[in-house]
Amino acid sequence: MSTISYNKTVNMLVFLLPLMSLWITHAASTILILLCMLGIGVWLSREKRIFFTWSEKAVMVSFAAILGMGLLSVPLHWISADIYQSDFQYDHELKLLAFIPIYYLFVHTKIKSETFWYGLCAGAIFAGVWSCVLSYILGTSERIAGAYNPILVGDMAVAMGFAGLAGVQFFEKKHKATTLIPLVAVLMGMTAAFISATRAALMAAPLLLVVFWIQIGKHPKAWRLRSLVFGLIIIVALSGYYFSDSNIDKRVRTGLQTMAETLNGQPKNLEDATDFSTAAHFRLWKEAIGVIGEHPWIGVGDDGFGHIIREKSNTDPSIKPIMKYDSTHNMYLQFMVIHGIPGLPVILALYIFPLVYFINWIRRSDEVRDVAYAGVAVVLSYMQFSLTESIMGRSVPIALYVVLIAAAMSLCRKSGTKKSGAD
């Protein structure tokens, strides 16, 4: 394959990932594996060595540490006195490890800025438009689920929409008319969240709006742009809440009511809760904290939590309704349940190291501020989604996180290299 064809293939795969991952089964994993294989091929056939900075190496280690923790967990459970043996399949851990060859690939092939920005916006716009088609034209009565479930549709659409919004100045330089593309992207991302009735995605929006508010501060028409974006999002939010055919208004109201009931100690029976999903989350978190307290150092492995819940249900019937859940629905608690307290810094590093990397680029170079802010938006959205979902236990979020972070980092590095060459 010629160099030109090689670069086109890589850029095409990066563009297609946001567009296809939510709607076509196994599309995300397939694209991730293809990019990983291309990266390994580039590394094996390299003609000269590529050097990485310590900050880049730190990010690589944070992705590899997830697999390292899983590998370490097996012998620790073998020699421990507990009955919980770790039986890892390493599927998701290996997908996170794919960040290293994929980042190497992107540095080698020079991902285009157009690929990154148009891919993000296309993914968010398609999610919103197709959700509207399914709900209002095809008459889908249930929550829009895509190829997997409604939560993934809402979460990923909002993450892509706000990351795409960070490119508003990139599109503005192309043509004033193209400035509409990132604006439509964030509005369609929010639309997908409302139609899929994904509360976690909507909860992330205020924080991501603050990030955009800070980013756009140096723009000559900052206040006009802020007013436009905030005004449009408020209109979409009010329309989605009061007039969409989804049950988002009911889910929000019953969720808040159940939260208040739970904090006041009522109801005792999960099935009597106003909103079962919210009550189940609280009970899962309570049980997870109990498991962490009893197994603080090495956790109970990947299957231990379910085993403990099933055992406890024999003496406590009130816990039976949450037996159908296979995770704690909180990524931070999930890692501590599996690996003990040492699992918390490992999962935090997966978010914090890339976040620090992008913040450093924001401070160092005006040329890559927008790309770095897109990276910040992706990381912060995942950090917030992880509060109510075991987000890194699913292939689609992993694939998007790996590829988007790698692409944003490579674009920052590309700009930095050009600047050094110019100096």
Side-chain angles (χ1 to χ4, degrees), residues 77-190:
H77 281 281
W78 281 347
I79 63 177
S80 70
D82 63 37
I83 62 171
Y84 307 108
Q85 297 301 317
S86 196
D87 184 24
F88 281 95
Q89 303 299 316
Y90 301 113
D91 176 28
H92 297 135
E93 289 84 355
L94 287 171
K95 287 176 180 175
L96 286 167
L97 185 65
F99 172 85
I100 296 175
I102 289 174
Y103 182 57
Y104 189 96
L105 173 69
F106 289 173
V107 170
H108 181 272
T109 57
K110 312 296 188 197
I111 290 294
K112 295 180 179 179
S113 298
E114 288 82 0
T115 302
F116 181 73
W117 292 120
Y118 281 104
L120 281 170
C121 292
I125 291 171
F126 185 80
V129 171
W130 188 239
S131 295
C132 289
V133 170
L134 291 173
S135 180
Y136 300 113
I137 298 178
L138 300 181
T140 302
S141 57
E142 299 178 355
R143 295 169 63 190
I144 304 302
Y148 298 97
N149 63 57
I151 294 174
L152 284 184
V153 172
D155 285 352
M156 296 302 100
V158 165
M160 289 187 290
F162 276 96
L165 181 63
V168 66
Q169 294 177 100
F170 166 84
F171 287 100
E172 188 178 38
K173 291 175 183 176
K174 294 284 184 182
H175 192 279
K176 286 188 177 181
T178 57
T179 308
L180 293 173
I181 293 175
L183 297 179
V184 173
V186 73
L187 296 179
M188 287 295 99
M190 292 288 293

Side-chain angles (χ1 to χ4, degrees), residues 10-29:
V10 172
N11 278 275
M12 179 187 69
L13 290 173
V14 173
F15 176 81
L16 290 177
L17 178 65
L19 198 61
M20 298 170 60
S21 58
L22 295 174
W23 310 101
I24 301 176
T25 307
H26 304 309
S29 295

Side-chain angles (χ1 to χ4, degrees), residues 181-203:
I181 293 175
L183 297 179
V184 173
V186 73
L187 296 179
M188 287 295 99
M190 292 288 293
T191 299
F194 275 105
I195 294 179
S196 63
T198 308
R199 293 173 293 192
L202 300 176
M203 289 167 58

Side-chain angles (χ1 to χ4, degrees), residues 152 155-156 159-160 204 208 331-332 350-351 376-389 391-392 394-402 404-405:
L152 284 184
D155 285 352
M156 296 302 100
M160 289 187 290
L208 299 176
M331 201 67 236
Y332 310 107
L350 185 65
Y351 299 138
V376 168
V378 171
V379 175
L380 290 181
S381 61
Y382 271 70
M383 291 182 76
Q384 188 150 342
F385 298 154
S386 293
L387 292 171
T388 56
E389 268 294 311
I391 197 77
M392 287 304 185
R394 300 180 182 276
S395 295
V396 171
I398 289 174
L400 283 168
Y401 190 74
V402 166
L404 292 179
I405 295 300

